Amino acid sequence: MSTPRLDDLPQVVDPTVLTDLGERLVSIANAAQSSMADVRQRWTLLSDSEVFNVSGAEAVPHMLDRPAADARSFSEALVEARNALWDAGSMEFPDLRHRREELASRIPTVVADYDSAVDASARADTVYRSTRGADVDASVAADASLVRLNASVTLRSAESALDSLSTDIDRFRRDVEDAEDRLASRLRNVAGGTAVINAAGEPVRVGQLFWGHTESAYPGAPSAASVNRTLSEQLAYVLGRAAERRIDWLSRADPDAVHSWLGDHPDFVQSVAFIDPQRTGPLFADLMASSTSAPGGEWIEGPLAQLMALAPLVVGNMNGVSAAQRNSFNLKGLSDALVRDDLDAEVASRLAALRRALDVRTRDGSRPLLVGFFFDSDGSPRANLAFGDIDSADQVTTLTHGINTDLGSVAEWSTGSSDLQAALARELERTGEQGTAAVLLVMDWDSGDTFQVWGIDRPDAGAARLAETLRGVRVTNPSAQLNVGAHSLGTTMTSQVIADNPGLVSHAWFFGSAGITPDTRDALAEQARTGQMVLSATHADADFIAPFGRKTWLGSLHPEDPRGVPGVSSFGSDGGVVVGYGSAQGEFGEATDSHDAHNSVKQEFVGWGASWDGSPSPRYEPVEQTGYLDPSAESFKHFVVGLREALETTGASQ
């Protein structure tokens, strides 16, 4: 578990710097007004008829009216800017500085308590194991067991405090960024004193339109398009353009330089997914125009050939490029990874599981496409798999997981996605619907483990990535209906995507939700009320795990049950007939009797037997449990019927 450091805390601008700057602006405004008043007074003397009396110069006394008005407008703009700085410097930023001091004071204590708890737990465990021998007094063993239990409880408490601190630091970081964005936005919208009139009385176009933005009055100046962007949007735009230029360089540079740069910047591949999907298509087209392919389609010359050879995952993770091309580049990247000799056994096992999943043919004989593949910052491989043609299907539905899930589980999730796509295809054929459907399995986000389930940082990070994935599908398949399905903490992540991107998603289905935030609940309710999105959710009575993700007393930051969102449609998962599945009368669906998405096996107590010494011994037998997304489950069949009806009733696009 990583521990927070003081360096993790963002710096906060000293509020006095803002207020002092504001006062300086007021001084400038007052000086400008005083100077203009003095000029006008002197001009009045000059325009006196006894001193300055020229026939035809009757307008002379009014020649300073427009400059005076501009000076007044300029002064008012400075005062408005001062007010924005003063409000931020006297209220918001002092609070942020105070919060930073509190967090800075918590870090050493919480980290020290955690380190102490880890050491105490390790020592208690060592002592406990030493008392396991038959010659140890029972009371000594009992005391050691109690000490071990207490140490374990203390460690869990310390881990919880550490997670809470990390969450507070992440929230503080976002709050600082939001405060800076709000101040920048207020300053950007300040205008005044920028109208310029030439000697002929005609308006002159100037580069400075308003605070912080200029038109291209000279080579290299910021684009006029930046006028309509927020500070964060402008940053994303600039970084995106920088990434595009880097990709172009990677496609043409010396191979040794490419290897060296990629080695120094291992996170670049995963960041490529955040380039605006509207720009990746033209970028790929430019690269393709300078490249040559063989009859089989592989790139053999030009920039794409170099990217395929040296940096295939750069292209493979570009949202907005066709699924077939991304699959080709990602498969090359996967092949390269499989022959590396520096991977640990666990990572190698996950890559092998991914390779096997890609080789399994679906119902129509095709194989899934690898439309996303990279190594996360911690070295974990992440991937997205497409079942069906996501570039041409009338309906594309993403499917994603909850906690404790990575590519080690890709086999069951890949099978589940294939089952969903096949079942939906059968239903569309049975009902005579001409539309086509595809499923996009999203496993490119880090959902964390049990101790991270109550936080929001991982769902937030996953939401940002999923939003770009959906936008990429929107670019390559503009008319497709985009839907989402999610399980457990995946519902927390997916709900954030919907809340932050109104109109992007048409229908959503949630299974065994770990909860959503209050703000997200309100946003989903508004979208449901206005008809922008339809949300359906289920929770099985036998699922005792999901509610723990919503417990505020455990520190959950997403305590809201999505079934409580106004306008949500609840569907069953406790066993029952699903009308419209398989036939007009419907078909019975099994009850979900665990929190799992797919089927699992548990050891169930069936009675008592005798151990080797004749003492009673409990007997267990393996019992299969039905998951939410198993094809036999009621919830799965509701999902299929819901997807079919969504396509039938609303068409491909929303």
Side-chain angles (χ1 to χ4, degrees):
M1 175 179 293
S2 61
T3 55
R5 302 175 302 161
L6 289 175
D7 292 342
D8 295 334
L9 293 173
Q11 295 296 326
V12 179
V13 175
D14 187 345
T16 59
V17 173
L18 300 177
T19 54
D20 289 347
L21 177 58
E23 293 309 313
R24 290 177 62 187
L25 293 181
V26 170
S27 298
I28 295 172
N30 291 336
Q33 287 285 65
S34 298
S35 298
M36 181 53 68
D38 183 59
V39 170
R40 293 203 71 174
Q41 183 180 11
R42 294 172 184 273
W43 186 255
T44 300
L45 293 175
L46 287 173
S47 63
D48 188 281
S49 59
E50 295 180 5
V51 178
F52 197 92
N53 187 12
V54 178
S55 177
E58 291 79 14
V60 167
H62 305 289
M63 288 181 64
L64 286 180
D65 287 354
R66 187 183 299 276
D70 287 343
R72 183 173 59 253
S73 176
F74 179 66
S75 297
E76 291 171 352
L78 290 177
V79 171
E80 186 177 349
R82 177 264 187 191
N83 291 340
L85 291 167
W86 183 264
D87 289 345
S90 61
M91 293 182 289
E92 195 163 20
F93 280 76
D95 177 66
L96 290 173
R97 293 271 289 196
H98 179 66
R99 286 175 58 190
R100 189 183 191 280
E101 292 171 358
E102 288 184 338
L103 289 170
S105 66
R106 283 173 57 192
I107 289 175
T109 301
V110 172
V111 171
D113 289 347
Y114 171 73
D115 291 340
S116 176
V118 170
D119 292 339
S121 179
R123 289 195 302 271
D125 188 68
T126 300
V127 172
Y128 170 78
R129 293 181 183 280
S130 69
T131 64
R132 301 299 292 167
D135 58 341
V136 177
D137 186 83
S139 63
V140 173
D143 289 342
S145 177
L146 180 60
V147 170
R148 180 182 182 233
L149 176 61
N150 291 336
S152 177
V153 171
T154 301
L155 177 58
R156 285 197 297 271
S157 177
E159 289 172 338
S160 177
L162 195 67
D163 286 339
S164 178
L165 176 60
S166 298
T167 298
D168 289 344
I169 291 174
D170 288 340
R171 186 186 299 111
F172 173 71
R173 183 180 297 109
R174 291 195 298 271
D175 289 346
V176 170
E177 293 170 351
D178 290 342
E180 292 173 345
D181 283 350
R182 280 191 294 273
L183 177 57
S185 179
R186 286 191 65 181
L187 293 176
R188 193 192 73 172
N189 291 322
V190 173
T194 57
V196 178
I197 306 298
N198 63 15
E202 299 170 342
V204 176
R205 188 70 171 173
V206 294
Q208 189 70 28
L209 296 179
F210 45 77
W211 296 91
H213 290 275
T214 62
E215 282 195 337
S216 297
Y218 52 89
S223 167
S226 65
V227 166
N228 297 319
R229 298 191 187 100
T230 66
L231 189 62
S232 59
E233 290 170 342
Q234 180 68 9
L235 178 61
Y237 173 80
V238 171
L239 293 178
R241 293 300 301 273
E244 293 173 33
R245 290 192 292 271
R246 178 58 60 182
I247 292 171
D248 183 70
W249 178 84
L250 291 171
S251 71
R252 306 173 192 277
D254 177 77
D256 290 337
V258 171
H259 281 301
S260 176
W261 191 89
L262 289 175
D264 292 337
H265 301 83
D267 290 341
F268 180 71
V269 167
Q270 58 175 302
S271 68
V272 166
F274 292 95
I275 301 177
D276 184 356
Q278 295 284 354
R279 298 189 58 85
T280 55
L283 172 60
F284 185 80
D286 289 343
L287 296 172
M288 187 167 59
S290 304
S291 303
T292 303
S293 63
E298 63 273 15
W299 299 102
I300 56 176
E301 290 184 7
L304 287 180
Q306 171 150 321
L307 288 172
M308 177 68 83
L310 304 179
L313 298 184
V314 168
V315 178
N317 287 283
M318 289 167 58
N319 290 305
V321 174
S322 73
Q325 287 290 349
R326 296 179 69 182
N327 177 67
S328 176
F329 281 86
N330 283 328
L331 288 179
K332 174 60 165 58
L334 176 58
S335 296
D336 292 345
L338 285 168
V339 297
R340 286 171 52 180
D341 57 5
D342 60 339
L343 300 177
D344 62 42
E346 179 61 30
V347 171
S349 174
R350 296 178 193 177
L351 294 179
L354 175 60
R355 179 66 269 179
R356 290 192 297 271
L358 292 168
D359 288 335
V360 177
R361 294 190 180 274
T362 60
R363 173 177 176 262
D364 62 2
S366 65
R367 292 188 176 94
L369 300 183
L370 186 59
V371 294
F373 175 59
F374 61 87
F375 287 87
D376 211 338
S377 301
D378 65 356
S380 298
R382 311 285 178 193
N384 290 342
L385 286 72
F387 297 81
D389 190 348
I390 61 173
D391 290 337
S392 67
D394 298 305
Q395 179 190 77
V396 177
T397 302
T398 63
L399 190 62
T400 194
H401 56 80
I403 62 168
N404 292 318
T405 303
D406 50 40
L407 289 184
S409 304
V410 69
E412 63 185 85
W413 276 93
S414 181
T415 299
S417 300
S418 178
D419 288 341
L420 177 62
Q421 201 260 343
L424 183 53
R426 285 193 298 270
E427 282 297 294
L428 293 173
E429 292 173 2
R430 182 184 65 79
T431 57
E433 170 63 40
Q434 298 301 309
T436 57
V439 174
L440 179 56
L441 173 59
V442 175
M443 300 190 75
D444 68 347
W445 70 293
D446 180 5
S447 58
D449 57 28
T450 304
F451 292 106
Q452 282 96 34
V453 72
W454 300 286
I456 198 65
D457 55 330
R458 293 174 188 272
D460 276 353
R465 188 170 290 278
L466 177 57
E468 294 304 320
T469 297
L470 289 166
R471 291 191 186 102
V473 176
R474 175 64 70 219
V475 168
T476 61
N477 191 356
S479 62
Q481 178 192 82
L482 299 184
N483 302 323
V484 292
H487 173 249
S488 189
L489 191 66
T491 66
T492 312
M493 182 268 280
T494 305
S495 66
Q496 196 63 50
V497 175
I498 302 171
D500 293 342
N501 301 274
L504 181 62
V505 171
S506 176
H507 296 73
W509 284 266
F510 290 170
F511 303 84
S513 176
I516 62 178
T517 68
D519 288 343
T520 298
R521 173 203 60 203
D522 296 341
L524 297 186
E526 178 61 18
Q527 291 188 34
R529 185 187 66 80
T530 57
Q532 296 182 76
M533 180 273 309
V534 178
L535 172 62
S536 303
T538 189
H539 181 105
D541 289 343
D543 179 0
F544 302 109
I545 302 299
F548 281 96
R550 307 192 291 265
K551 300 294 186 184
T552 54
W553 60 271
L554 288 173
S556 176
L557 299 178
H558 40 81
E560 304 292 332
D561 189 331
R563 292 177 297 170
V565 174
V568 71
S569 174
S570 294
F571 60 99
S573 52
D574 294 317
V577 174
V578 180
V579 176
Y581 186 88
S583 67
Q585 293 73 31
E587 184 176 293
F588 182 81
E590 299 291 338
T592 294
D593 44 20
S594 72
H595 176 63
D596 294 335
H598 305 100
N599 281 10
S600 58
V601 175
K602 73 169 183 178
Q603 297 296 321
E604 188 172 274
F605 175 74
V606 294
W608 294 89
S611 62
W612 63 273
D613 61 355
S615 61
S617 173
R619 292 176 48 243
Y620 296 90
E621 290 184 357
V623 176
E624 187 173 37
Q625 294 182 305
T626 301
Y628 283 104
L629 294 171
D630 184 78
S632 67
E634 178 191 3
S635 53
F636 175 90
K637 295 177 181 181
H638 279 299
F639 190 17
V640 173
V641 171
L643 287 169
R644 188 200 72 209
E645 292 177 344
L647 186 54
E648 290 175 348
T649 57
T650 63
S653 60
Q654 181 74 345

